[in-house]
Amino acid sequence: MAGARITRVAVRQPKLRYRLPATFARRLRGQMVRAVERRAKYLLVALGSGDRLLMHLGMSGSCRVARAGRPEAHDHVVLGMSTGASVFFNDPRRFGFMRLLTAGEHATHTSLARLGPEPLAPAFDAAALGAALARRRTPLKIALSDQRVVGGLGNIYVVEALHRAGLSPVRRAGTLVSANGGPRPAVHDLVQAIKGVLKEAIRRQSRTGGDNPFLVYDREGERCPRRGCRGTIRRIVQGGRSTYYCPACQR
Ligand SMILES: [Zn+2]
């Protein structure tokens, strides 16, 4: 998309998580794409007009780039590019969304402005995470799922990182920080675990597909995969989302 012009906009289903406004196609058509970026779970397309197209893939969404071809089921928005390629926004469950933000709206968009650091950025280190967790009384799992603590970490990766770091999802987040405000050693382990599970997932290039590639996610009742641990993976619900963990080795 970057460097190309949007020549054609087809809205096949305007009812995404938020309804697309009637002006949506008009504001996109003819626009040059200056850059395509990602921030946390948002995709941001900067346009020549100064507007930004904000996209979120929700639970089940994807973008498919194809040179030609007819739209498939659940292709809700199709952007035809001057290169001849088309971008198909597909989302069976329609929890995803698109929004057009003016430059001013982009600068003040609360969910963008409040995002925590990117987990793979050098700025996301034990000092930063420790400061974000200090004095928090919420369970660690809930704190890590808060996009203001770290941006873009999804439920599965929080679960996997906590197991890798040997930390319980139900312990109070603030207990990882010492009385003088410094991060305890476990915060270093947690930061490395978060970066590790994300890098592996990017290498795999897929969230699920076929076999379950995760060590504890969706493995309730199975033996804990940690060497020497005889625990059994348990499932609980926190903040409306499934947590899987080993009560024996995650403290
Ligand atoms: Zn275990």
Side-chain angles (χ1 to χ4, degrees):
M1 294 178 84
R5 191 176 293 279
I6 300 171
T7 54
R8 196 168 46 84
V9 180
V11 176
R12 307 178 70 242
Q13 168 58 275
K15 282 191 245 166
L16 305 180
R17 192 194 308 181
Y18 311 114
R19 184 182 244 286
L20 293 174
T23 56
F24 182 79
R26 195 187 332 136
R27 281 173 67 185
L28 277 179
R29 205 173 291 126
Q31 289 301 318
M32 184 64 85
V33 173
R34 290 171 33 229
V36 181
E37 300 162 328
R38 181 195 58 77
R39 178 77 175 97
K41 298 179 187 176
Y42 297 102
L43 298 168
L44 284 158
V45 180
L47 304 171
S49 61
D51 288 348
R52 273 184 180 77
L53 174 62
L54 178 78
M55 298 192 276
H56 193 294
L57 300 175
M59 303 285 283
S60 57
S62 63
C63 282
R64 186 174 80 256
V65 181
R67 189 132 283 275
R70 250 178 264 164
E72 297 170 1
H74 311 298
D75 281 343
H76 304 312
V77 177
V78 184
L79 305 178
M81 306 304 298
S82 57
T83 56
S86 292
V87 180
F88 299 86
F89 180 83
N90 183 292
D91 187 2
R93 294 176 69 182
R94 284 195 261 141
F95 284 114
F97 61 86
M98 290 189 174
R99 274 187 162 174
L100 266 169
L101 307 177
T102 63
E105 286 166 342
H106 173 251
T108 58
H109 195 276
T110 48
S111 35
L112 283 173
R114 287 185 190 163
L115 283 172
E118 288 287 323
L120 293 178
F124 181 66
D125 58 14
L129 182 57
L133 298 180
R135 289 181 300 280
R136 277 193 182 241
R137 300 167 68 84
T138 52
L140 185 54
K141 158 82 186 296
I142 301 288
L144 290 177
S145 304
D146 185 338
Q147 301 295 301
R148 295 169 297 183
V149 171
V150 50
L153 204 53
N155 185 53
I156 293 175
Y157 299 106
V158 174
V159 166
E160 291 290 299
L162 285 171
H163 181 265
R164 184 179 290 209
L167 291 168
S168 168
V170 298
R171 75 183 273 169
R172 279 188 187 180
T175 60
L176 289 180
V177 178
S178 66
N180 66 17
R184 296 188 192 278
V187 182
H188 295 266
D189 299 341
L190 183 53
V191 166
Q192 291 315 308
I194 289 169
K195 291 179 191 276
V197 295
L198 290 178
K199 283 179 187 165
E200 280 175 25
I202 291 167
R203 231 175 284 132
R204 264 198 317 274
Q205 292 198 334
S206 128
R207 187 176 42 184
T208 48
D211 296 334
N212 177 356
F214 304 111
L215 287 180
V216 288
Y217 187 81
D218 205 17
R219 294 198 183 277
E220 183 180 19
E222 293 184 26
R223 168 68 62 86
C224 175
R226 194 187 308 279
R227 188 174 306 213
C229 179
R230 301 184 64 81
T232 302
I233 303 305
R234 179 188 290 175
R235 174 184 176 271
I236 58 172
V237 175
Q238 293 177 290
R241 307 293 305 275
S242 289
T243 298
Y244 298 86
Y245 75 112
C246 172
C249 67
Q250 291 181 246
R251 302 302 181 89

